Amino acid sequence: MKYYNANLIKDLDKISNLVYFNEWFLYVEEILLSDEFQKRKLFYHHDGSLWNHLVSVSYRSFLMAKYHFKKADPRVCAIAGLLHDFYPKAYKYSKELDDLDHFYVTDVKKKQPIHKMHAFSHAKDAANNSVKYFPYLIDDKIYSCIETHMFPMTPIPPKYIEGWIITFIDKKLSFKNIKEISYLPKVIYERFFEK
Ligand SMILES: [Fe+2]
Ligand SMILES: [Fe+2]
């Protein structure tokens, strides 16, 4: 398996010297070690791999809880941030996917009805997939944070402060390279609707 690496610290060398890393790592180590999660290194996500995006959202949400929101639980931010896009199948083709089982690419070229399009369906899919692979880690709060992270593209807002943190950090990272606000509709279309 080309994607699998049991030496997580090597994968995480860009952040392993940063503040509070050990605490964050303790919360998420078993997710990072799972074979299913490591397959996300091969999933396309905007400018890089989905794995990179998930680690960034998790670590930054965790830090935001530590530094800025006393009422937020850093553990919830770390776990829900890491799993917020843990949907079961890739939605865009990338050549890296050729290393994976056919299961992961079956939806890539399929036309979907609107309510099943990636932008509107993947948050719920990620919450359910998280329960499937990590049932002992997912409580109602973590499930809700994952399920609502696409607000306002999906209608139900986050119920918990941790959910708002993840929603904010996810948007901030996903749109960080957009120089002008007028490009936004085009970028949203390319990222969430175009195959
Ligand atoms: Fe998402
Ligand atoms: Fe995301």
Side-chain angles (χ1 to χ4, degrees), residues 23-25 27-28 31 37 53-85 137-139 141-146 149 158 160-170 173:
E23 182 185 337
W24 172 81
F25 188 68
Y27 296 142
V28 292
I31 300 173
F37 189 81
H53 171 69
L54 294 172
V55 167
S56 298
V57 171
S58 170
Y59 186 69
R60 284 164 203 242
S61 301
F62 160 83
L63 280 188
M64 196 170 229
K66 294 280 298 178
Y67 281 117
H68 300 297
F69 294 94
K70 273 199 175 136
K71 287 189 178 158
D73 182 342
R75 178 182 170 274
V76 170
C77 284
I79 294 174
L82 198 59
L83 294 171
H84 79 279
D85 281 336
L137 289 177
I138 311 300
D139 57 18
K141 194 176 200 179
I142 292 179
Y143 186 96
S144 165
C145 293
I146 298 171
H149 83 268
Y160 302 100
I161 186 157
E162 294 85 350
W164 282 106
I165 291 173
I166 290 163
T167 300
F168 171 74
I169 297 282
D170 183 41
L173 290 178

Side-chain angles (χ1 to χ4, degrees), residues 45 53 84-85 87 118 122 149-150 170 192:
H45 188 273
H53 171 69
H84 79 279
D85 281 336
Y87 42 82
H118 180 74
H122 78 268
H149 83 268
M150 284 303 286
D170 183 41
F192 295 108

